[in-house]
Amino acid sequence: MTMKRIGPRVLFAAGLALLLFFTLFPFLQMLSTSLKPADQLFAVPPVWIPEHFTLSNFTAALHHQQFARYFMNSLFVSVVTCVLVIVVSVLAAYGFTRLEFPGRKFLLNVILVSQMFCISAIVIPLYKIVSALGLLNSYPGLVLAYMAFTVPVAIWLLRSFMLNIPIDMEESAMMEGASKLQAFVRVVLPLLRPGIGATAAYVFLMTWQEFLFSLVFMTDPAKRTLPIGIMDFKGQYETNWGTMMAASILISIPVFLLFLVIQRQLISGLTEGATKG
Amino acid sequence: MKTRSTWLGYLLVGPSVLLLAVLLFIPLLYSLQISLQDTDLSHGAPKWIGLSGYVDSWKSGELWKVGKHSIVWTVCVAFFQVVVGLAAALMLNRKFPLRWLVRVLVLLPWVLPGVIAALTWRLVYDSQFGFLNSLIAKLGFGQHATDWLGTPGLAMFSVVLAAIWKGYPFAMLMLLAALQSVPQDQYEAARIDGADGWRQFVHITLPSISGVLKTVVLLVSIWTFNYFEMIYVLTGGGPIRSTHIAPTYIYELSFGHFNFGEASRVSVVSFLFIFLISLVLIRQMHKNERNGGA
């Protein structure tokens, strides 16, 4: 092989290696710290690959009194948000893609524009409204706030999935005497199922890791969600990095698995939404 | 053909529109109202001061400082996320052994919950236990105990790097999907015409992915501007307020000092800023669509 052919290959391999190193470097520290026994945690300079591995940090994280509770809180809030968002957004996406009514374009634009909302701009008024309604430290308050910024994305995604379902199929079903509702349930919904799955998973990922609203709305420690709860391990004087990194890994695994399952669907929805805006 | 049905249309679209009106648009107006009040606790009960609050905030200099940080933060992070994302997408679009594994691994930062990403970087940047200083030592640049987050001048760089790491896989994913849908025969034709790699990139690849690219730029910019937890966890806005961006400043003002008026003024200004930028970008996108005949 001549230099001309080897040169680009070496460059390519080097670029790829650099990318992987940049991406994985923090994970190396995360994993290494979580597996280190207590006596090695505070070694200076830090050891990259611990001499002995221990799972004690993981058991400590799981035995932390509140960990299970935070987990359940997060799960509850995320699942409820998901279900509500999907119901509301499927209806709206159907309305926007299948029906014609005055103001359709305008309302669609309003919804698309609300994705551009600056979340930090509404945290204060929303906090005041929620506290005036007595909903601070309550799950309905948090779920409502989460719906505010997930519904626009969900409609965007579902609309692009629905645009891909040929309208003729419903028309022929209706020709055979099905009502609009029957056509929707029998024709559109089955085809839309992967799209709904991807959208629901995306909404789940967003709410599962949401931080700002949870921090502001849930001041009662027992009602905290995981992202805020994990700060418990960051003690007042000294952080127990071993347990914290172990807990971090435990929280991240379900999210990562979920994402792997829906990846393909989600990307097609996002990119098509982008070109069919 | 779409069915014409006014009442059913409103019935279906109604709940989401109502939800967004109550949860986004009304709060925004409420924010505007609070921003016209003086709520500084040391000034006694809140009183109506009209627009003069904005003038005072501007004069105090803090607003401008935070604005500057916000712009530096947003532009640097969004720009490099897209550049790194595009480079990664181009690489991962080529065939090589174990490509599927690499594709999965590079997604990790994006899927990682935001707080956890921030906590991990906090550890990486730690002057004693962090791997970054020990990496520098291993590379032969000597033992340092650099405090990456505690040194004014350096902290902004550190938070920006962490944020690029967190968000670039999203740009990569979207751009990779766009790259895969570029028709291959165009490249064949270009190769026959003798176009080199760079020319193919500029004349075929870029135009074909420009729609997705613009959307990515828009989304990434807005997300970055609003990205709260990275800075909140890493530096809390410090040291000496050198990394305060709009969301962390708003949080500090409202829930640290309970000065909701001043916080709302920052909110309103950042809303207008984001709104104008999005408007310009969306306009660009629509122009493109018309030219493309879509």
Side-chain angles (χ1 to χ4, degrees):
Chain A
M1 249 190 276
T2 58
M3 273 309 284
K4 226 179 170 181
R5 296 214 33 194
I6 297 174
R9 275 180 184 224
V10 171
L11 211 66
F12 178 74
L16 204 61
L18 194 68
L19 181 76
L20 272 178
F21 182 75
F22 173 58
T23 308
L24 297 178
F25 186 63
F27 287 103
L28 173 70
Q29 173 136 36
M30 185 191 227
L31 202 64
S32 148
T33 307
S34 73
L35 293 170
K36 268 182 201 170
D39 58 316
Q40 284 186 30
L41 272 176
F42 296 103
V44 179
V47 188
W48 282 25
I49 297 161
E51 284 158 35
H52 334 276
F53 295 97
T54 171
L55 288 177
S56 63
N57 291 314
F58 287 89
T59 42
L62 285 174
H63 283 105
H64 179 71
Q65 335 162 343
Q66 305 281 4
F67 195 78
R69 163 165 245 149
Y70 297 150
F71 190 93
M72 291 315 287
N73 291 349
S74 270
L75 194 66
F76 177 74
V77 170
S78 302
V79 168
V80 172
T81 308
C82 255
V83 172
L84 292 175
V85 167
I86 290 297
V87 170
V88 171
S89 311
V90 166
L91 294 180
Y94 182 84
F96 281 127
T97 53
R98 296 296 192 262
L99 300 171
E100 187 56 60
F101 49 89
R104 187 187 71 92
K105 266 241 148 82
F106 170 75
L107 290 176
L108 181 62
N109 279 330
V110 166
I111 287 181
L112 295 183
V113 163
S114 38
Q115 285 175 91
M116 316 305 165
F117 247 77
C118 186
I119 292 302
S120 46
I122 54 158
V123 67
I124 298 162
L126 219 50
Y127 170 82
K128 290 208 155 196
I129 292 171
V130 165
S131 72
L133 293 173
L135 290 176
L136 278 189
N137 280 318
S138 80
Y139 297 116
L142 196 59
V143 168
L144 272 178
Y146 285 173
M147 288 180 79
F149 62 89
T150 48
V151 161
V153 192
I155 293 179
W156 192 43
L157 284 170
L158 285 168
R159 177 175 161 269
S160 75
F161 289 125
M162 231 179 261
L163 284 174
N164 275 346
I165 300 173
I167 207 162
D168 319 355
M169 299 180 61
E170 285 159 80
E171 277 169 357
S172 56
M174 281 195 270
M175 220 93 87
E176 283 160 22
S179 71
K180 202 175 250 159
L181 181 70
Q182 282 168 331
F184 173 71
V185 173
R186 280 190 216 147
V187 180
V188 181
L189 267 190
L191 289 171
L192 195 62
R193 208 178 291 150
I196 291 180
T199 311
Y202 186 63
V203 171
F204 186 90
L205 290 178
M206 282 174 79
T207 49
W208 181 257
Q209 56 170 294
E210 202 286 330
F211 188 78
L212 179 58
F213 283 96
S214 182
L215 178 69
V216 169
F217 285 16
M218 309 306 246
T219 45
D220 177 359
K223 300 229 163 128
R224 281 182 187 148
T225 54
L226 271 179
I228 311 298
I230 192 171
M231 304 287 276
D232 281 5
F233 296 109
K234 190 169 147 285
Q236 216 171 348
Y237 305 106
E238 195 168 66
T239 304
N240 188 342
W241 287 112
T243 340
M244 186 185 249
M245 289 297 116
S248 300
I249 291 174
L250 290 174
I251 299 173
S252 310
I253 288 172
V255 194
F256 191 58
L257 293 179
L258 182 64
F259 184 78
L260 280 186
V261 176
I262 57 141
Q263 201 206 123
R264 196 172 294 259
Q265 276 297 321
L266 180 64
I267 301 310
S268 82
L270 283 169
T271 47
E272 273 161 34
T275 44
K276 284 180 191 162
Chain B
M1 244 334 264
K2 282 190 180 116
T3 324
R4 254 205 107 73
S5 178
T6 306
W7 69 267
L8 185 61
Y10 288 147
L11 195 70
L12 292 177
V13 171
S16 350
V17 172
L18 195 71
L19 197 77
L20 295 181
V22 172
L23 294 172
L24 290 180
F25 293 96
I26 292 176
L28 189 70
L29 294 176
Y30 188 30
S31 215
L32 202 62
Q33 192 207 348
I34 306 172
S35 79
L36 301 174
Q37 295 170 8
D38 181 2
T39 58
D40 194 328
L41 290 178
S42 60
H43 297 175
K47 55 181 177 291
W48 189 265
I49 48 165
L51 287 172
S52 69
Y54 282 93
V55 178
D56 290 342
S57 317
W58 181 257
K59 277 189 191 148
S60 82
E62 198 59 32
L63 188 66
W64 174 232
K65 226 173 104 187
V66 169
K68 245 186 344 201
H69 292 159
S70 269
I71 292 172
V72 169
W73 156 262
T74 308
V75 170
C76 290
V77 173
F79 177 78
F80 284 106
Q81 275 186 3
V82 173
V83 168
V84 176
L86 181 58
L90 288 169
M91 286 197 269
L92 297 181
N93 198 32
R94 292 227 231 155
K95 281 204 171 70
F96 58 88
L98 288 180
R99 178 171 73 166
W100 65 272
L101 181 66
V102 178
R103 278 189 181 171
V104 170
L105 287 176
V106 295
L107 290 176
L108 281 166
W110 189 57
V111 181
L112 199 68
V115 209
I116 292 175
L119 287 170
T120 308
W121 275 95
R122 212 185 141 113
L123 183 56
V124 169
Y125 283 139
D126 192 280
S127 61
Q128 287 182 295
F129 314 122
F131 278 15
L132 187 56
N133 279 334
S134 77
L135 173 70
I136 292 171
K138 274 178 207 268
L139 288 177
F141 295 101
Q143 287 287 348
H144 294 276
T146 311
D147 189 357
W148 292 91
L149 297 169
T151 313
L154 200 57
M156 188 49 120
F157 165 81
S158 308
V159 289
V160 164
L161 183 69
I164 294 169
W165 173 87
K166 174 76 173 79
Y168 91 85
F170 173 75
M172 190 276 294
L173 264 181
M174 296 280 284
L175 294 170
L176 185 58
L179 284 176
Q180 285 165 341
S181 62
V182 179
Q184 288 305 312
D185 48 341
Q186 289 192 24
Y187 290 109
E188 300 281 330
R191 236 169 278 148
I192 291 165
D193 290 344
D196 56 16
W198 174 250
R199 285 227 182 122
Q200 290 177 23
F201 177 72
V202 172
H203 293 292
I204 303 171
T205 313
L206 268 189
S208 328
I209 62 170
S210 74
V212 174
L213 191 63
K214 281 174 185 159
T215 313
V216 170
V217 170
L218 178 66
L219 287 177
V220 160
S221 310
I222 294 166
W223 289 343
T224 307
F225 188 90
N226 284 320
Y227 196 11
F228 170 76
E229 59 260 43
M230 184 61 89
I231 289 192
Y232 177 78
V233 171
L234 281 183
T235 64
I240 29 174
R241 318 182 65 74
S242 62
T243 55
H244 248 318
I245 57 167
T248 56
Y249 187 50
I250 291 169
Y251 176 80
E252 186 191 85
L253 281 172
S254 44
F255 302 102
H257 305 312
F258 297 100
N259 189 346
F260 290 106
E262 181 69 20
S264 298
R265 285 189 277 279
V266 183
S267 301
V268 171
V269 171
S270 27
F271 172 79
L272 285 176
F273 180 73
I274 286 285
F275 186 71
L276 288 176
I277 302 271
S278 325
L279 223 57
V280 172
L281 282 171
I282 291 174
R283 247 203 177 171
Q284 271 286 318
M285 276 151 68
H286 277 267
K287 216 179 348 182
N288 224 55
E289 218 167 87
R290 271 201 299 276
N291 292 342

